[in-house]
């Protein structure tokens, strides 16, 4: 594996990394949770670039599982990569789990396209979108590890660190348990 996967309990808007990933809604115009926090702290530059994206290529909104980059505005990061996670529906699990994995793959591709070395992710879809946290953690960590292990050489080639920034000790604990289950060690 080229990059390290780290877990941090904290606020994603305070991470001094190249790319902060935003768990966005399809409008790209801000919302609640991580999305709202990134837009508030990033300031009007982030919103302005999102509006330009909506006025051009993403007029109908960013599809679930896709990712697109903007400036980070006043955030300590260089860029924001916005990705739209799926809403959890047990009856559509397989399709939606693939969309959740796609959020991580596409975000890493977008970060690689920017030349990023460090990327910070939230727990995409594990909040208001209702994804069970333990399953969201397994999908997130497993997908990122697969990309970094060469499953997508373009996306993982230059990365030094992929950091999961988890809000609260409960979510941090969920990710730590998933990491031990998947890897049995630090990665």
């Amino acid at each position: 594996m080229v990059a390290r996967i780290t877990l941090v309990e904290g606020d994603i808007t305070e991470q001094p990394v190249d790319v902060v990933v935003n768990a966005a809604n399809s409008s790209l115009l801000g919302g609640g949770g991580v999305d709202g926090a990134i837009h508030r702290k990033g300031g009007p530059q982030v919103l302005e670039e999102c509006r330009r994206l909506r006025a051009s290529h993403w007029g109908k909104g960013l599809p679930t599982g896709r990712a697109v980059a903007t400036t980070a505005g006043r955030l300590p990061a260089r860029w924001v990569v916005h990705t739209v996670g799926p809403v959890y529906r047990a009856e559509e699990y397989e399709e939606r789990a693939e969309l959740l994995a796609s959020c991580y793959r596409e975000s890493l591709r977008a970060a690689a396209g920017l030349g990023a070395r460090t990327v910070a992710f939230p727990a995409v879809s594990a909040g208001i979108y209702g994804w069970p946290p333990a399953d969201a953690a397994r999908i997130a960590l497993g997908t990122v590890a697969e990309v970094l292990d060469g499953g997508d050489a373009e996306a993982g080639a230059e990365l030094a660190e992929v950091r999961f920034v988890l809000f609260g000790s409960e979510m941090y604990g969920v990710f730590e348990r998933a990491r031990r289950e998947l890897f049995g060690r630090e990665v």
Side-chain angles (χ1 to χ4, degrees), residues 48-66:
E48 183 56 37
E49 282 197 32
C50 286
R51 283 187 174 138
R52 277 197 290 272
L53 289 168
R54 285 298 306 271
S56 61
H57 190 70
W58 301 110
K60 294 182 180 180
L62 186 65
T64 302
R66 300 292 299 271

Side-chain angles (χ1 to χ4, degrees), residues 11-164:
D11 181 346
I12 198 163
T13 68
E14 296 176 359
Q15 301 302 305
V17 293
D18 293 326
V19 168
V20 165
V21 176
N22 180 19
N25 65 52
S26 65
S27 79
L28 297 175
L29 302 179
V34 169
D35 193 18
I38 285 174
H39 274 270
R40 280 190 301 279
K41 187 145 185 186
Q45 300 95 331
V46 176
L47 181 58
E48 183 56 37
E49 282 197 32
C50 286
R51 283 187 174 138
R52 277 197 290 272
L53 289 168
R54 285 298 306 271
S56 61
H57 190 70
W58 301 110
K60 294 182 180 180
L62 186 65
T64 302
R66 300 292 299 271
V68 65
T70 67
T71 182
R74 297 187 305 243
L75 292 164
R78 295 176 67 194
W79 301 283
V80 175
V81 169
H82 306 266
T83 191
V84 180
V87 173
Y88 180 76
R89 289 193 189 109
E91 65 276 7
E92 298 174 18
Y93 178 81
E94 292 300 321
E95 174 187 341
R96 290 182 175 272
E98 178 49 39
L99 286 170
L100 183 54
S102 180
C103 289
Y104 291 98
R105 283 191 299 272
E106 293 296 318
S107 294
L108 290 172
R109 281 189 195 123
L114 296 166
R117 302 264 308 137
T118 54
V119 177
F121 277 104
V124 177
S125 289
I128 192 100
Y129 284 14
W131 207 280
D135 194 50
R138 282 190 295 275
I139 292 169
L141 291 164
T143 302
V144 168
E146 180 182 303
V147 168
L148 297 178
D149 279 339
D152 186 335
E154 179 184 322
E158 300 298 320
L159 291 171
E161 180 189 12
V162 176
R163 182 182 309 168
F164 286 90

